[in-house]
Amino acid sequence: MSAMAVGTDLAAYRSAVAELAPLVRLADAEEAGVLRVVDGRGAWWDRLERLTDAIGVVVDEPQPAPAAAHERLRALGVPVVVARRRLRADVVATVAAVPAAHVVVDAWGAPSEAAVVLRDAVGWARVLAGGPLEVVAHAATPTADVLALACGRVGVSVTRALGGAGVGDALTAVALGPRRVEVRTDSAAATIHVEIDDLEGRRIAAPRREAAERVALRRLRDAVATGVRPSDLDELAHDDGILGVE
């Protein structure tokens, strides 16, 4: 298969394209039928809908989107990969099959990242609980949000506390059941730490050191090549929906 062309102005993705050669290459200025990268800041969904020349799209670190936007995006005819550094697809694949009886997620972040941190905390709750979540109760104060959720018989709690301006973010997710699974991530770390405890002892998953941009481009290239539509947008819509984004 010839190299797929990637159109992007984001420096990290241009570097990832160079590292992934000859699987992908940078697109020419006027080239159509390429893979595109959308910056997830602001109304990214509007920019995504306007990409009529793309055969596949990466959305990088998207801000929470309203339900109406997600509904429109369901009609997109191209595969879309969502790059969420706190919820990397390659790490999710190592823990998604672990059964749980209860899930607890605690997150901390600056006010500017509050909504994204809470949304990604919900994402880890969904992954560790093993399926879609329902809101049982929600309490909010000026400095914290607490969500009581459920996935069938699995109880889930998500707490997000606000730090001061300039602080980084951190997230700890724990699944309790036949196995104890702990996931830790923070803005200063290049990897996500995963520990699994069961009757066989404690295992620490090997860290995934590949850049998130490379992972996203490889996944998109594979999706286009195989014709398989990733579930990323559906999962993002679920997690945004738990937050009740308007």
Side-chain angles (χ1 to χ4, degrees):
M1 179 185 297
S2 59
M4 291 188 185
V6 178
T8 179
D9 293 328
L10 299 179
Y13 281 90
R14 293 179 71 87
S15 296
V17 169
E19 293 171 3
L20 287 171
L23 299 178
V24 295
R25 61 175 175 82
L26 287 175
D28 298 330
E30 303 300 325
E31 189 171 356
V34 303
L35 309 179
R36 295 287 182 187
V37 180
V38 171
D39 190 330
R41 291 175 293 184
W44 57 268
W45 50 92
D46 290 335
R47 298 193 294 276
L48 176 53
E49 287 184 298
R50 292 196 294 266
L51 291 178
T52 57
D53 67 336
I55 60 173
V57 182
V58 172
V59 181
D60 185 69
E61 285 295 328
Q63 295 289 312
H70 280 296
E71 189 61 34
R72 297 202 313 270
L73 295 178
R74 292 182 190 278
L76 289 176
V78 299
V80 177
V81 164
V82 180
R84 298 163 68 175
R85 286 164 183 76
R86 300 178 193 87
L87 194 67
R88 288 175 53 131
D90 52 347
V91 179
V92 166
T94 67
V95 300
V98 178
H102 187 71
V103 175
V104 179
V105 186
D106 294 312
W108 163 280
S112 61
E113 292 292 309
V116 176
V117 170
L118 180 58
R119 193 268 316 283
D120 289 349
V122 168
W124 269 116
R126 167 180 50 77
V127 168
L128 294 178
L133 303 170
E134 296 181 1
V135 179
V136 177
H138 178 203
T141 73
T143 59
D145 276 278
V146 180
L147 289 165
L149 308 170
C151 174
R153 294 188 174 185
V154 181
V156 178
S157 65
V158 176
T159 302
R160 191 274 332 269
L162 292 179
V167 303
D169 60 75
L171 184 153
T172 300
V174 179
L176 303 173
R179 295 179 177 178
R180 182 186 186 278
V181 182
E182 181 173 338
V183 178
R184 299 197 306 271
T185 182
D186 63 74
S187 59
T191 61
I192 299 176
H193 183 83
V194 178
E195 291 184 12
I196 300 176
D197 288 281
D198 57 20
L199 293 177
E200 298 177 0
R202 172 173 296 181
R203 297 182 301 285
I204 299 176
R208 302 299 179 111
R209 301 194 182 279
E210 185 176 16
E213 296 83 7
R214 283 178 46 127
V215 173
L217 288 177
R218 282 196 302 99
R219 292 183 63 227
L220 182 60
R221 179 186 179 277
D222 292 346
V224 172
T226 60
V228 176
R229 182 187 176 99
S231 60
D232 296 33
L233 274 183
D234 292 334
E235 293 164 356
L236 186 69
H238 167 278
D239 299 345
D240 282 347
I242 295 294
L243 270 61
V245 180
E246 298 295 336

